[in-house]
Amino acid sequence: MVKHIWSILCEDSSVDQETNKLSIRNVLESIEVKVQGILPEKSAIPIPFEIVSFFTRANSAKEEEIHLEIKLVNSEMDSLGKDLAATIKFPAKSNRLRSRLKIQGLPIKGEGKYAFIISFKISDEKEYKTVAELPLEIKFVK
Protein backbone atom coordinates (compact mmCIF):
# COMPACT_ATOMS: atom_id res chain seq x y z
CA MET A 1 0.00 0.00 0.00
CA VAL A 2 1.41 3.38 -1.05
CA LYS A 3 1.17 6.15 1.53
CA HIS A 4 1.64 9.89 0.93
CA ILE A 5 3.87 11.32 3.68
CA TRP A 6 4.26 14.98 2.74
CA SER A 7 4.21 17.55 -0.06
CA ILE A 8 5.67 21.04 -0.13
CA LEU A 9 5.49 24.03 -2.45
CA CYS A 10 8.88 25.62 -3.11
CA GLU A 11 10.80 27.73 -5.57
CA ASP A 12 13.46 25.10 -6.22
CA SER A 13 14.87 21.76 -5.08
CA SER A 14 17.89 19.65 -5.90
CA VAL A 15 19.19 16.15 -5.20
CA ASP A 16 22.86 15.59 -4.38
CA GLN A 17 24.13 12.90 -6.79
CA GLU A 18 26.58 11.41 -4.29
CA THR A 19 24.40 11.23 -1.17
CA ASN A 20 20.89 11.34 -2.67
CA LYS A 21 20.02 14.07 -0.15
CA LEU A 22 17.20 16.41 -1.13
CA SER A 23 17.58 20.16 -0.64
CA ILE A 24 14.46 22.33 -0.73
CA ARG A 25 14.94 26.05 -1.27
CA ASN A 26 12.57 28.93 -0.72
CA VAL A 27 9.38 27.34 0.55
CA LEU A 28 6.41 29.31 -0.76
CA GLU A 29 3.64 30.34 1.63
CA SER A 30 2.87 33.71 0.08
CA ILE A 31 3.91 35.69 -2.97
CA GLU A 32 3.91 39.46 -3.34
CA VAL A 33 3.19 40.61 -6.89
CA LYS A 34 4.02 44.15 -8.01
CA VAL A 35 1.12 45.52 -10.06
CA GLN A 36 0.53 48.64 -12.08
CA GLY A 37 -2.97 49.59 -13.10
CA ILE A 38 -5.78 47.04 -13.21
CA LEU A 39 -5.09 43.38 -13.84
CA PRO A 40 -7.40 41.40 -16.10
CA GLU A 41 -9.78 38.98 -14.33
CA LYS A 42 -7.48 36.08 -15.14
CA SER A 43 -3.71 36.56 -15.10
CA ALA A 44 -0.58 34.50 -14.69
CA ILE A 45 2.46 35.14 -12.55
CA PRO A 46 5.63 34.18 -14.47
CA ILE A 47 7.27 32.31 -11.62
CA PRO A 48 8.95 28.91 -11.68
CA PHE A 49 8.07 26.68 -8.74
CA GLU A 50 7.99 23.03 -7.71
CA ILE A 51 5.77 20.67 -5.79
CA VAL A 52 7.91 18.10 -4.01
CA SER A 53 6.23 15.00 -2.54
CA PHE A 54 7.37 11.98 -0.57
CA PHE A 55 5.69 8.55 -0.63
CA THR A 56 6.37 5.27 1.18
CA ARG A 57 5.07 1.72 0.94
CA ALA A 58 5.39 -1.50 2.93
CA ASN A 59 5.47 -4.05 0.11
CA SER A 60 8.23 -3.21 -2.36
CA ALA A 61 8.28 -6.46 -4.35
CA LYS A 62 6.93 -5.04 -7.60
CA GLU A 63 6.97 -1.80 -9.59
CA GLU A 64 3.85 0.35 -9.22
CA GLU A 65 2.61 3.42 -11.03
CA ILE A 66 1.33 6.36 -9.06
CA HIS A 67 -0.97 8.78 -10.87
CA LEU A 68 -0.84 12.30 -9.41
CA GLU A 69 -3.44 14.99 -9.99
CA ILE A 70 -2.89 18.56 -8.82
CA LYS A 71 -5.58 21.23 -8.90
CA LEU A 72 -5.06 24.91 -8.18
CA VAL A 73 -8.13 26.48 -6.56
CA ASN A 74 -8.94 29.88 -5.13
CA SER A 75 -10.75 30.52 -1.82
CA GLU A 76 -14.13 29.86 -3.50
CA MET A 77 -12.78 26.45 -4.63
CA ASP A 78 -12.91 27.56 -8.28
CA SER A 79 -10.43 25.56 -10.33
CA LEU A 80 -7.88 27.81 -12.06
CA GLY A 81 -6.33 26.74 -15.30
CA LYS A 82 -5.70 23.20 -16.36
CA ASP A 83 -5.24 20.48 -13.72
CA LEU A 84 -1.73 19.06 -13.62
CA ALA A 85 -1.24 15.33 -13.98
CA ALA A 86 1.82 13.10 -13.72
CA THR A 87 2.57 9.41 -13.63
CA ILE A 88 5.43 8.29 -11.43
CA LYS A 89 6.94 4.81 -11.31
CA PHE A 90 7.61 3.38 -7.88
CA PRO A 91 10.57 1.04 -8.59
CA ALA A 92 10.56 -2.58 -7.44
CA LYS A 93 12.49 -3.20 -4.21
CA SER A 94 12.14 0.43 -3.17
CA ASN A 95 10.03 1.52 -0.22
CA ARG A 96 10.55 5.30 -0.58
CA LEU A 97 9.83 7.64 -3.49
CA ARG A 98 10.24 11.38 -3.99
CA SER A 99 8.65 13.27 -6.83
CA ARG A 100 9.61 16.75 -7.99
CA LEU A 101 7.14 18.45 -10.34
CA LYS A 102 8.56 21.59 -11.92
CA ILE A 103 5.94 24.13 -13.03
CA GLN A 104 6.32 27.36 -14.98
CA GLY A 105 3.80 30.11 -14.30
CA LEU A 106 0.95 30.44 -11.86
CA PRO A 107 -2.58 31.29 -13.08
CA ILE A 108 -4.39 33.61 -10.67
CA LYS A 109 -7.72 35.38 -10.36
CA GLY A 110 -6.77 38.40 -8.26
CA GLU A 111 -5.15 38.50 -4.88
CA GLY A 112 -6.22 36.22 -2.08
CA LYS A 113 -5.88 32.69 -0.78
CA TYR A 114 -5.18 29.78 -3.11
CA ALA A 115 -4.45 26.10 -2.60
CA PHE A 116 -2.89 23.25 -4.53
CA ILE A 117 -5.03 20.14 -3.95
CA ILE A 118 -2.93 16.99 -4.37
CA SER A 119 -4.58 13.64 -5.09
CA PHE A 120 -3.19 10.29 -6.18
CA LYS A 121 -4.16 6.76 -7.06
CA ILE A 122 -2.37 3.53 -7.93
CA SER A 123 -2.92 2.16 -11.45
CA ASP A 124 -5.42 -0.50 -10.40
CA GLU A 125 -7.53 1.92 -8.31
CA LYS A 126 -10.55 3.73 -9.77
CA GLU A 127 -10.68 6.86 -7.62
CA TYR A 128 -8.14 9.50 -6.67
CA LYS A 129 -7.53 10.14 -2.93
CA THR A 130 -6.92 13.72 -1.83
CA VAL A 131 -3.83 13.64 0.38
CA ALA A 132 -2.63 17.23 0.74
CA GLU A 133 -3.66 20.85 0.41
CA LEU A 134 -0.83 23.34 0.00
CA PRO A 135 -1.95 26.91 0.81
CA LEU A 136 -0.55 29.94 -1.01
CA GLU A 137 -1.47 33.57 -0.44
CA ILE A 138 -1.13 36.08 -3.27
CA LYS A 139 -0.69 39.73 -2.26
CA PHE A 140 -0.64 42.70 -4.64
CA VAL A 141 1.82 45.51 -3.99
CA LYS A 142 1.64 48.81 -5.86
Side-chain angles (χ1 to χ4, degrees):
M1 176 179 184
V2 175
K3 185 177 178 182
H4 173 267
I5 303 300
W6 54 261
S7 289
I8 196 160
L9 181 64
C10 63
E11 209 171 89
D12 187 36
S13 70
S14 64
V15 177
D16 184 288
Q17 296 299 318
E18 290 181 22
T19 63
N20 199 31
K21 289 182 182 177
L22 173 70
S23 294
I24 295 172
R25 291 186 287 275
N26 300 329
V27 172
L28 297 174
E29 296 171 347
S30 67
I31 298 174
E32 290 188 354
V33 180
K34 292 182 182 177
V35 295
Q36 294 178 343
I38 299 172
L39 283 176
E41 186 175 316
K42 288 187 176 181
S43 301
I45 301 172
I47 179 175
F49 63 96
E50 295 182 25
I51 295 176
V52 182
S53 298
F54 179 62
F55 298 89
T56 63
R57 66 179 176 172
N59 181 5
S60 61
K62 63 177 183 164
E63 180 178 276
E64 290 183 280
E65 281 190 350
I66 298 174
H67 300 279
L68 284 177
E69 182 180 78
I70 300 170
K71 295 180 182 190
L72 174 62
V73 297
N74 62 11
S75 58
E76 286 82 39
M77 297 303 286
D78 295 331
S79 185
L80 301 170
K82 187 175 158 184
D83 294 346
L84 302 171
T87 300
I88 305 163
K89 291 191 189 278
F90 213 131
K93 299 180 182 173
S94 177
N95 59 3
R96 301 179 303 121
L97 176 71
R98 294 185 299 229
S99 80
R100 298 168 47 216
L101 298 174
K102 296 178 181 281
I103 304 163
Q104 295 291 324
L106 181 66
I108 62 167
K109 213 176 181 181
E111 65 182 336
K113 295 182 180 185
Y114 292 81
F116 289 90
I117 310 292
I118 300 174
S119 305
F120 86 98
K121 70 175 188 160
I122 307 304
S123 288
D124 57 355
E125 296 176 337
K126 292 183 181 182
E127 306 236 349
Y128 282 86
K129 296 181 271 196
T130 298
V131 292
E133 186 173 317
L134 308 177
L136 179 66
E137 187 171 0
I138 306 294
K139 299 175 187 176
F140 290 166
V141 179
K142 297 201 182 218

